[in-house]
Amino acid sequence: MKHMLKSNAVKEPLWYQAVSRTPPAELPLKASVPPRLVYEEDTLIRGYLRRNPEAAFIPLTMNSTEPHFVRKFAWRQQELMGAGYSREEAYQLSERELESEKIKAHQLVNTDEDLIKSVQDEEEEFVKLAISMQKGRVEEKSEEEAPAHDEDAADEKKKE
């Protein structure tokens, strides 16, 4: 702007004197690094994964609103720590609770498997009954046709 004013290319704006008296703000040469945010929950999750590395390979369900079980484990551990338990005691209690939940879930799955098996057994009985009924109809038809054939054969013998 200064060069344009010296060459009379533009007329001096009203604000130019005020701006030229105010020096630009000095920017820091190096921006300060913000402090790292570390949540207690994250340290508990890392602790669980250190003790149980296979849990890191359990997939997340992306369309679910349900959090990963490790996060729920950490929440429960935090809750117990808030109730006065030490970190290790809270871990042990949370682990026992998780094991009992796994057992309950396994029982539900087995119950579902038993239910599926009983439905399949009922369907199998129904199919067997339907097949036997179908065979019975075929046998009835063949019995009805057989005497007719025998009568035809007897009639033919009489004619001879």
Side-chain angles (χ1 to χ4, degrees), residues 20-40:
S20 63
R21 280 186 246 132
T22 309
E26 291 185 27
L27 297 175
L29 297 176
K30 184 177 180 186
S32 61
V33 177
R36 184 179 174 132
L37 294 176
V38 179
Y39 297 102
E40 180 68 21

PDB file of all heavy atoms in Angstrom, residues 20-40:
ATOM      1  N   SER A  20      -1.033   2.647  10.091  1.00  0.00           N
ATOM      2  CA  SER A  20       0.424   2.751  10.008  1.00  0.00           C
ATOM      3  C   SER A  20       1.035   3.051  11.368  1.00  0.00           C
ATOM      4  O   SER A  20       2.201   2.717  11.607  1.00  0.00           O
ATOM      5  CB  SER A  20       0.817   3.811   8.982  1.00  0.00           C
ATOM      6  OG  SER A  20       0.347   5.079   9.399  1.00  0.00           O
ATOM      7  N   ARG A  21       0.292   3.647  12.299  1.00  0.00           N
ATOM      8  CA  ARG A  21       0.806   3.907  13.646  1.00  0.00           C
ATOM      9  C   ARG A  21       0.741   2.673  14.538  1.00  0.00           C
ATOM     10  O   ARG A  21       1.409   2.611  15.555  1.00  0.00           O
ATOM     11  CB  ARG A  21      -0.003   5.051  14.292  1.00  0.00           C
ATOM     12  CG  ARG A  21       0.442   6.400  13.817  1.00  0.00           C
ATOM     13  CD  ARG A  21      -0.259   7.504  14.579  1.00  0.00           C
ATOM     14  NE  ARG A  21      -1.103   8.211  13.624  1.00  0.00           N
ATOM     15  CZ  ARG A  21      -2.355   8.521  13.790  1.00  0.00           C
ATOM     16  NH1 ARG A  21      -2.974   8.235  14.897  1.00  0.00           N
ATOM     17  NH2 ARG A  21      -3.029   9.128  12.853  1.00  0.00           N
ATOM     18  N   THR A  22      -0.094   1.711  14.187  1.00  0.00           N
ATOM     19  CA  THR A  22      -0.260   0.498  15.006  1.00  0.00           C
ATOM     20  C   THR A  22       0.545  -0.630  14.374  1.00  0.00           C
ATOM     21  O   THR A  22       0.239  -1.094  13.276  1.00  0.00           O
ATOM     22  CB  THR A  22      -1.744   0.089  15.060  1.00  0.00           C
ATOM     23  OG1 THR A  22      -2.518   1.207  15.440  1.00  0.00           O
ATOM     24  CG2 THR A  22      -1.962  -1.040  16.035  1.00  0.00           C
ATOM     25  N   PRO A  23       1.585  -1.092  15.083  1.00  0.00           N
ATOM     26  CA  PRO A  23       2.393  -2.171  14.503  1.00  0.00           C
ATOM     27  C   PRO A  23       1.605  -3.486  14.525  1.00  0.00           C
ATOM     28  O   PRO A  23       0.710  -3.669  15.349  1.00  0.00           O
ATOM     29  CB  PRO A  23       3.614  -2.248  15.416  1.00  0.00           C
ATOM     30  CG  PRO A  23       3.159  -1.684  16.721  1.00  0.00           C
ATOM     31  CD  PRO A  23       2.086  -0.665  16.388  1.00  0.00           C
ATOM     32  N   PRO A  24       1.933  -4.394  13.620  1.00  0.00           N
ATOM     33  CA  PRO A  24       1.237  -5.690  13.609  1.00  0.00           C
ATOM     34  C   PRO A  24       1.554  -6.489  14.877  1.00  0.00           C
ATOM     35  O   PRO A  24       2.604  -6.322  15.484  1.00  0.00           O
ATOM     36  CB  PRO A  24       1.774  -6.398  12.365  1.00  0.00           C
ATOM     37  CG  PRO A  24       3.046  -5.713  12.046  1.00  0.00           C
ATOM     38  CD  PRO A  24       2.947  -4.306  12.582  1.00  0.00           C
ATOM     39  N   ALA A  25       0.619  -7.326  15.262  1.00  0.00           N
ATOM     40  CA  ALA A  25       0.818  -8.173  16.439  1.00  0.00           C
ATOM     41  C   ALA A  25       1.941  -9.149  16.155  1.00  0.00           C
ATOM     42  O   ALA A  25       2.075  -9.676  15.050  1.00  0.00           O
ATOM     43  CB  ALA A  25      -0.458  -8.927  16.760  1.00  0.00           C
ATOM     44  N   GLU A  26       2.764  -9.358  17.164  1.00  0.00           N
ATOM     45  CA  GLU A  26       3.873 -10.299  17.008  1.00  0.00           C
ATOM     46  C   GLU A  26       3.359 -11.714  17.240  1.00  0.00           C
ATOM     47  O   GLU A  26       2.757 -11.998  18.257  1.00  0.00           O
ATOM     48  CB  GLU A  26       4.995  -9.973  17.990  1.00  0.00           C
ATOM     49  CG  GLU A  26       5.698  -8.682  17.668  1.00  0.00           C
ATOM     50  CD  GLU A  26       6.882  -8.445  18.590  1.00  0.00           C
ATOM     51  OE1 GLU A  26       7.450  -9.434  19.099  1.00  0.00           O
ATOM     52  OE2 GLU A  26       7.220  -7.282  18.778  1.00  0.00           O
ATOM     53  N   LEU A  27       3.589 -12.550  16.271  1.00  0.00           N
ATOM     54  CA  LEU A  27       3.196 -13.947  16.390  1.00  0.00           C
ATOM     55  C   LEU A  27       4.343 -14.710  17.027  1.00  0.00           C
ATOM     56  O   LEU A  27       5.514 -14.449  16.722  1.00  0.00           O
ATOM     57  CB  LEU A  27       2.872 -14.526  15.010  1.00  0.00           C
ATOM     58  CG  LEU A  27       1.692 -13.893  14.287  1.00  0.00           C
ATOM     59  CD1 LEU A  27       1.566 -14.470  12.892  1.00  0.00           C
ATOM     60  CD2 LEU A  27       0.409 -14.104  15.050  1.00  0.00           C
ATOM     61  N   PRO A  28       4.029 -15.632  17.891  1.00  0.00           N
ATOM     62  CA  PRO A  28       5.114 -16.425  18.481  1.00  0.00           C
ATOM     63  C   PRO A  28       5.804 -17.246  17.395  1.00  0.00           C
ATOM     64  O   PRO A  28       5.155 -17.735  16.465  1.00  0.00           O
ATOM     65  CB  PRO A  28       4.422 -17.311  19.495  1.00  0.00           C
ATOM     66  CG  PRO A  28       2.989 -17.325  19.111  1.00  0.00           C
ATOM     67  CD  PRO A  28       2.730 -16.048  18.368  1.00  0.00           C
ATOM     68  N   LEU A  29       7.115 -17.355  17.519  1.00  0.00           N
ATOM     69  CA  LEU A  29       7.861 -18.112  16.522  1.00  0.00           C
ATOM     70  C   LEU A  29       7.538 -19.603  16.601  1.00  0.00           C
ATOM     71  O   LEU A  29       7.521 -20.292  15.603  1.00  0.00           O
ATOM     72  CB  LEU A  29       9.359 -17.874  16.693  1.00  0.00           C
ATOM     73  CG  LEU A  29       9.818 -16.434  16.466  1.00  0.00           C
ATOM     74  CD1 LEU A  29      11.305 -16.324  16.766  1.00  0.00           C
ATOM     75  CD2 LEU A  29       9.520 -15.991  15.050  1.00  0.00           C
ATOM     76  N   LYS A  30       7.324 -20.068  17.814  1.00  0.00           N
ATOM     77  CA  LYS A  30       7.005 -21.486  17.982  1.00  0.00           C
ATOM     78  C   LYS A  30       5.739 -21.571  18.819  1.00  0.00           C
ATOM     79  O   LYS A  30       5.677 -21.051  19.929  1.00  0.00           O
ATOM     80  CB  LYS A  30       8.153 -22.212  18.680  1.00  0.00           C
ATOM     81  CG  LYS A  30       7.944 -23.687  18.809  1.00  0.00           C
ATOM     82  CD  LYS A  30       9.131 -24.367  19.449  1.00  0.00           C
ATOM     83  CE  LYS A  30       8.868 -25.845  19.565  1.00  0.00           C
ATOM     84  NZ  LYS A  30       9.927 -26.508  20.290  1.00  0.00           N
ATOM     85  N   ALA A  31       4.740 -22.207  18.270  1.00  0.00           N
ATOM     86  CA  ALA A  31       3.489 -22.351  19.004  1.00  0.00           C
ATOM     87  C   ALA A  31       3.688 -23.333  20.146  1.00  0.00           C
ATOM     88  O   ALA A  31       4.395 -24.327  20.011  1.00  0.00           O
ATOM     89  CB  ALA A  31       2.391 -22.836  18.069  1.00  0.00           C
ATOM     90  N   SER A  32       3.092 -23.046  21.265  1.00  0.00           N
ATOM     91  CA  SER A  32       3.218 -23.957  22.399  1.00  0.00           C
ATOM     92  C   SER A  32       2.353 -25.199  22.143  1.00  0.00           C
ATOM     93  O   SER A  32       1.292 -25.131  21.551  1.00  0.00           O
ATOM     94  CB  SER A  32       2.779 -23.277  23.689  1.00  0.00           C
ATOM     95  OG  SER A  32       1.419 -22.902  23.595  1.00  0.00           O
ATOM     96  N   VAL A  33       2.857 -26.316  22.587  1.00  0.00           N
ATOM     97  CA  VAL A  33       2.150 -27.582  22.412  1.00  0.00           C
ATOM     98  C   VAL A  33       1.120 -27.689  23.534  1.00  0.00           C
ATOM     99  O   VAL A  33       1.464 -27.531  24.709  1.00  0.00           O
ATOM    100  CB  VAL A  33       3.143 -28.765  22.470  1.00  0.00           C
ATOM    101  CG1 VAL A  33       2.416 -30.094  22.370  1.00  0.00           C
ATOM    102  CG2 VAL A  33       4.174 -28.634  21.381  1.00  0.00           C
ATOM    103  N   PRO A  34      -0.129 -27.945  23.180  1.00  0.00           N
ATOM    104  CA  PRO A  34      -1.143 -28.059  24.239  1.00  0.00           C
ATOM    105  C   PRO A  34      -0.864 -29.286  25.103  1.00  0.00           C
ATOM    106  O   PRO A  34      -0.273 -30.261  24.642  1.00  0.00           O
ATOM    107  CB  PRO A  34      -2.454 -28.219  23.474  1.00  0.00           C
ATOM    108  CG  PRO A  34      -2.067 -28.693  22.130  1.00  0.00           C
ATOM    109  CD  PRO A  34      -0.692 -28.162  21.860  1.00  0.00           C
ATOM    110  N   PRO A  35      -1.263 -29.228  26.344  1.00  0.00           N
ATOM    111  CA  PRO A  35      -1.020 -30.394  27.199  1.00  0.00           C
ATOM    112  C   PRO A  35      -1.806 -31.591  26.693  1.00  0.00           C
ATOM    113  O   PRO A  35      -2.896 -31.457  26.166  1.00  0.00           O
ATOM    114  CB  PRO A  35      -1.532 -29.941  28.575  1.00  0.00           C
ATOM    115  CG  PRO A  35      -2.479 -28.832  28.285  1.00  0.00           C
ATOM    116  CD  PRO A  35      -1.996 -28.178  27.028  1.00  0.00           C
ATOM    117  N   ARG A  36      -1.228 -32.748  26.849  1.00  0.00           N
ATOM    118  CA  ARG A  36      -1.873 -33.974  26.398  1.00  0.00           C
ATOM    119  C   ARG A  36      -3.009 -34.331  27.349  1.00  0.00           C
ATOM    120  O   ARG A  36      -2.827 -34.363  28.563  1.00  0.00           O
ATOM    121  CB  ARG A  36      -0.852 -35.098  26.351  1.00  0.00           C
ATOM    122  CG  ARG A  36      -1.422 -36.362  25.804  1.00  0.00           C
ATOM    123  CD  ARG A  36      -0.384 -37.453  25.743  1.00  0.00           C
ATOM    124  NE  ARG A  36      -1.053 -38.664  25.341  1.00  0.00           N
ATOM    125  CZ  ARG A  36      -0.625 -39.447  24.396  1.00  0.00           C
ATOM    126  NH1 ARG A  36       0.488 -39.171  23.777  1.00  0.00           N
ATOM    127  NH2 ARG A  36      -1.278 -40.540  24.074  1.00  0.00           N
ATOM    128  N   LEU A  37      -4.175 -34.603  26.776  1.00  0.00           N
ATOM    129  CA  LEU A  37      -5.319 -34.995  27.585  1.00  0.00           C
ATOM    130  C   LEU A  37      -5.272 -36.502  27.809  1.00  0.00           C
ATOM    131  O   LEU A  37      -5.247 -37.282  26.864  1.00  0.00           O
ATOM    132  CB  LEU A  37      -6.625 -34.631  26.879  1.00  0.00           C
ATOM    133  CG  LEU A  37      -6.899 -33.149  26.693  1.00  0.00           C
ATOM    134  CD1 LEU A  37      -8.173 -32.955  25.895  1.00  0.00           C
ATOM    135  CD2 LEU A  37      -6.982 -32.431  28.013  1.00  0.00           C
ATOM    136  N   VAL A  38      -5.239 -36.881  29.051  1.00  0.00           N
ATOM    137  CA  VAL A  38      -5.220 -38.297  29.393  1.00  0.00           C
ATOM    138  C   VAL A  38      -6.380 -38.542  30.347  1.00  0.00           C
ATOM    139  O   VAL A  38      -6.450 -37.952  31.421  1.00  0.00           O
ATOM    140  CB  VAL A  38      -3.891 -38.708  30.058  1.00  0.00           C
ATOM    141  CG1 VAL A  38      -3.899 -40.176  30.425  1.00  0.00           C
ATOM    142  CG2 VAL A  38      -2.726 -38.392  29.146  1.00  0.00           C
ATOM    143  N   TYR A  39      -7.282 -39.404  29.930  1.00  0.00           N
ATOM    144  CA  TYR A  39      -8.429 -39.739  30.759  1.00  0.00           C
ATOM    145  C   TYR A  39      -8.142 -41.028  31.516  1.00  0.00           C
ATOM    146  O   TYR A  39      -7.479 -41.939  31.015  1.00  0.00           O
ATOM    147  CB  TYR A  39      -9.681 -39.908  29.898  1.00  0.00           C
ATOM    148  CG  TYR A  39     -10.089 -38.643  29.191  1.00  0.00           C
ATOM    149  CD1 TYR A  39      -9.814 -38.453  27.841  1.00  0.00           C
ATOM    150  CD2 TYR A  39     -10.748 -37.630  29.878  1.00  0.00           C
ATOM    151  CE1 TYR A  39     -10.190 -37.295  27.187  1.00  0.00           C
ATOM    152  CE2 TYR A  39     -11.116 -36.461  29.241  1.00  0.00           C
ATOM    153  CZ  TYR A  39     -10.844 -36.297  27.893  1.00  0.00           C
ATOM    154  OH  TYR A  39     -11.210 -35.143  27.266  1.00  0.00           O
ATOM    155  N   GLU A  40      -8.667 -41.100  32.718  1.00  0.00           N
ATOM    156  CA  GLU A  40      -8.481 -42.293  33.541  1.00  0.00           C
ATOM    157  C   GLU A  40      -9.020 -43.529  32.829  1.00  0.00           C
ATOM    158  O   GLU A  40      -8.423 -44.602  32.865  1.00  0.00           O
ATOM    159  CB  GLU A  40      -9.188 -42.096  34.888  1.00  0.00           C
ATOM    160  CG  GLU A  40      -9.059 -43.277  35.827  1.00  0.00           C
ATOM    161  CD  GLU A  40      -7.640 -43.498  36.344  1.00  0.00           C
ATOM    162  OE1 GLU A  40      -6.840 -42.559  36.319  1.00  0.00           O
ATOM    163  OE2 GLU A  40      -7.359 -44.634  36.767  1.00  0.00           O
TER     164      GLU A  40
END
